[in-house]
Each structure stands twice: as C-alpha cells, then as structure tokens.
Amino acid sequence: MPTYEERLVWSPGDGHGLRTHPLGPCHVGGLNCWENGMPLPRAALYGQGEDLHVAVWPGGLHNTRDITRFIALESRSYVVSASGLLRREDIGTSSPWREHISSQSPNLLAGPDGEWIIPPAGPTEQLLVATIDHQRVREERQNLDPSGHYARPDVTRLEVNRQRQTVVTFKE
C-alpha cells in the first residue's frame, strides 16, 4: 500500500503476491514500509511458514529498530530490516531536509528470539553478512508458534483473497 507521495508512482498491490518462497531450508517472505506494521499481512506470511522476514523500509532507524525485534519475537523467525541508502549528494543542496533524511538508513538483523544478530548500523553504505541457523527458528517455535497450536483457528481465522484485482469484472 503506497503512502503519501508513493501514490504518484505505485498503486496498491493485492493478495496475489502475499506469499512466502522457499530458499534452502527457509521460507522467505517480506513486506514493504508500513505494511510491516500491519498484523494481518504479517499473519498471512506466518501462516505460510515464514522463517525469514524481509522488512524493506525507506525510513529511519527510529521507525524500524523496535518493530524489527517485535516481528522476530512475534513470528519466532529471523527478520532482516533493509533500507535504501540516500546520501547527502543524492538529495541536492536546496533541500531543507537534506541533513535529516541522509541520517536515517538502518540495516538490521534480529533472530527468532528477538536478539540482534547484526545490531543497527549507521547511515553508511555497507555489506553486512551473517550466518543464520534455521534450527533456532524451530527451537523458538517450540515455545510459541503463532500459526501452530497457539493460533486457535476454532476461534479466529484470517482469510486472504489472492484474486488479482482489476478495474472491471465480468460475470455471465
């Protein structure tokens, strides 16, 4: 779901792409920007066995630090929080927001227990590498599996519409 000026370039997505994808022993899923703060899209990914969540953000560390750890704790999965780097020279000298914007790009990785594997990094361009142990996901889900025995589908249930959304639908 695009926010503010993003609506000038992007349109809302639909449930068709709300999926996880196998990558080695993990199932990887992800959301963009404030979608990471929405419980139902996260729950849809958890229900598909998401083990590694990629949270893509354009924003600053103040927006992403706590939610990265929260998603890891809630899902009992690894969470990578990645942001694009916007350098001062990319903004231009006439912007009054130049200093503020260029200081806000995090790169974070939290484990399934909510502890940092790679702590928050500063606003510098860098490659961060970590080895994750898929067994840790299984260990943490032994305590709490939000889409397993704690999910209580007899009481609550999430329905995801994966039908492509179009402007016109014809029925005969």
Side-chain angles (χ1 to χ4, degrees):
M1 176 58 71
T3 308
Y4 299 117
E5 298 87 1
E6 294 170 355
R7 287 181 247 163
L8 296 173
V9 180
W10 297 294
S11 64
D14 56 30
H16 186 76
L18 192 57
R19 302 175 186 268
T20 63
H21 305 277
L23 179 65
C26 293
H27 277 84
V28 179
L31 295 168
N32 184 46
C33 200
W34 286 117
E35 292 171 344
N36 289 291
M38 298 171 58
L40 296 180
R42 288 194 321 261
L45 295 173
Y46 304 162
Q48 296 173 70
E50 181 183 63
D51 300 313
L52 174 61
H53 181 82
V54 180
V56 180
W57 299 91
L61 185 59
H62 67 285
N63 289 332
T64 61
R65 175 184 30 235
D66 295 334
I67 198 167
T68 300
R69 293 186 69 204
F70 174 78
I71 294 171
L73 284 168
E74 178 183 62
S75 65
R76 299 302 203 229
S77 65
Y78 288 98
V79 179
V80 174
S81 179
S83 294
L85 177 65
L86 186 62
R87 295 173 292 242
R88 285 185 182 97
E89 58 268 20
D90 297 331
I91 299 170
T93 57
S94 64
S95 172
W97 295 97
R98 180 181 190 201
E99 188 69 34
H100 176 73
I101 292 171
S102 64
S103 66
Q104 302 293 317
S105 289
N107 292 298
L108 318 170
L109 177 59
D113 58 356
E115 295 301 317
W116 293 118
I117 293 173
I118 297 176
T124 58
E125 186 172 6
Q126 57 186 305
L127 175 64
L128 302 170
V129 179
T131 301
I132 60 174
D133 179 4
H134 186 256
Q135 186 60 32
R136 290 287 300 126
V137 172
R138 300 291 170 239
E139 290 170 7
E140 288 299 322
R141 287 191 186 154
Q142 197 64 16
N143 264 346
L144 171 67
D145 185 352
S147 293
H149 73 286
Y150 267 90
R152 294 293 310 268
D154 58 320
V155 178
T156 60
R157 193 169 309 152
L158 172 63
E159 180 178 308
V160 177
N161 178 2
R162 284 203 169 143
Q163 182 177 351
R164 285 287 192 190
Q165 301 300 302
T166 61
V167 176
V168 178
T169 303
F170 297 97
K171 292 187 179 186
E172 300 296 330

